[in-house]
Amino acid sequence: LGGKVAVKIHSGEVGNQNFIRPAFFKPVIDLVKGTIVECNTAYSGKRNTTKDHWDTMKLHGWTDIAPVDIMDEEGDLTLAVEDGKQIQKNFVGDHLSRYDSMLVLSHFKGHPMGGFGGALKNISIGIASAYGKAYIHGAGVPEEIWTSDHDSFLESMADAAKSVVTHFDGKMAFINIMRNMSVD
């Protein structure tokens, strides 16, 4: 991976102890001289505002190991989804344009809506801005964030991931990790 490298992780929810800790990822982040990237969530919690997300990044130790960028803290960037099955555009954090390549470090685990998402969920929902997350969940209708057809949501995730892969044009690497798994 060359140029300025974005390293997409999942920072972990406050109160959830199953996220992968920064010390585990530090050697590979250092190797690529990467910047940890995240975007705000579309649901209530400790990552749904930029201020709370920064607090979470600090609390969980991410800011201690590498530079961090909350990519949607200044707005959205729209990526086209060529031949998208459900959505034709994807709203990501506008800081995505600052990066030349991306390393995707995914905690491969189950999710109530996304199933076993791994890197697919990490680059679709994870790189989407807060608005973009609602747009994907609602299959193009953000107001239907929690009520859209489930298959349409999954297809929208695939469409969104496709736009990110197209954006980086082969300058991505993916590592999926099964560690700190919940019994659920």
Side-chain angles (χ1 to χ4, degrees):
L1 297 173
K4 188 164 182 179
V5 180
V7 180
K8 179 63 182 84
I9 53 95
H10 184 295
S11 57
E13 295 289 350
V14 173
N16 179 338
Q17 297 305 309
N18 289 329
F19 67 94
I20 298 178
R21 300 300 191 267
F24 183 82
F25 284 140
K26 184 177 179 4
V28 71
I29 294 169
D30 288 348
L31 181 70
V32 299
K33 298 175 182 66
T35 298
I36 296 166
V37 298
E38 271 273 55
C39 285
N40 294 317
T41 62
Y43 55 84
S44 61
K46 293 293 184 182
R47 296 185 306 130
N48 70 329
T49 68
T50 298
K51 182 200 175 304
D52 284 348
H53 206 158
W54 274 111
D55 290 346
T56 299
M57 297 301 274
K58 291 173 188 162
L59 175 70
H60 288 172
W62 296 106
T63 58
D64 295 335
I65 67 157
V68 172
D69 184 358
I70 307 297
M71 292 192 297
D72 63 337
E73 72 181 323
E74 296 178 78
D76 298 326
L77 169 69
T78 305
L79 300 180
V81 180
E82 187 176 329
D83 299 321
K85 186 161 184 164
Q86 290 293 329
I87 59 175
Q88 310 314 303
K89 55 189 171 182
N90 183 25
F91 300 94
V92 299
D94 72 347
H95 294 183
L96 187 71
S97 62
R98 297 178 177 178
Y99 300 96
D100 302 303
S101 59
M102 179 174 278
L103 174 61
V104 182
L105 302 175
S106 302
H107 190 196
F108 190 85
K109 58 187 177 61
H111 183 271
M113 292 182 75
F116 290 103
L120 176 70
K121 183 175 179 291
N122 205 3
I123 67 168
S124 58
I125 299 297
I127 292 175
S129 64
Y131 175 78
K133 287 172 175 55
Y135 189 84
I136 294 165
H137 273 277
V141 183
E143 298 76 24
E144 295 182 15
I145 182 172
W146 306 123
T147 58
S148 71
D149 171 71
H150 190 254
D151 287 345
S152 297
F153 159 62
L154 295 175
E155 290 169 347
S156 294
M157 272 200 332
D159 287 341
K162 177 183 178 184
S163 74
V164 173
V165 170
T166 299
H167 172 79
F168 281 108
D169 192 27
K171 299 177 201 116
M172 295 181 82
F174 301 87
I175 300 173
N176 285 295
I177 299 153
M178 293 181 75
R179 180 183 168 118
N180 295 357
M181 302 298 287
S182 162
V183 68
D184 295 333

